[in-house]
Amino acid sequence: MSVTISGPDFVALQVRDVAAAAAFCEEHLGLVRTPASPPGAVVFDTKPCPFAVRQPLPGTDLDAGRPGLGVALWFSTPDAQSLHDKLAAAGIEIVAPVRDSPFGPVFSFAGPEGYVMTAHGA
């Protein structure tokens, strides 16, 4: 029998300030916390898999470069342009402006602690 994986079923960003990162996700992205989270983390009720911000794992050096370098983290939104405009108006750094893509309108912004996040419309 061959053992395989079916795909991601949990995504977490390791951050220095969990409370500030969670507030960013709630206030700017509209994410909603799950009723319970493990110690040192805040888990959000996202689909198709949960998303969280958490304290760094032992041995993780968040000062070794831009957080998440090499990882593409995409979120879906019903209206990429409106989300772009809301984030820009709040002073959130827009890393790449809205453009057309095979996944609909897409743009990238600086999320908690500098993680680059991409949002795409349906």
Side-chain angles (χ1 to χ4, degrees):
M1 177 174 116
S2 175
V3 178
T4 64
I5 62 172
S6 60
D9 72 349
F10 190 82
V11 175
L13 298 181
Q14 297 179 77
V15 296
R16 292 171 196 85
D17 188 337
V18 173
F24 178 96
C25 292
E26 291 173 312
E27 295 168 17
H28 297 293
L29 305 180
L31 299 184
V32 176
R33 293 177 188 223
T34 59
S37 294
V42 173
V43 179
F44 297 97
D45 184 19
T46 54
K47 305 291 185 252
C49 66
F51 171 75
V53 291
R54 61 157 298 140
Q55 294 173 337
L57 294 169
T60 301
D61 181 1
L62 294 179
D63 296 319
R66 185 167 189 136
L69 185 62
V71 174
L73 184 59
W74 287 50
F75 291 87
S76 63
T77 177
D79 188 341
Q81 185 66 58
S82 291
L83 179 60
H84 169 278
D85 296 348
K86 174 186 168 185
L87 295 177
I92 305 303
E93 177 189 356
I94 303 299
V95 176
V98 176
R99 65 190 184 286
D100 289 328
S101 82
F103 308 103
V106 62
F107 74 99
S108 298
F109 59 96
E113 299 192 16
Y115 283 95
V116 175
M117 303 171 125
T118 299
H120 69 94

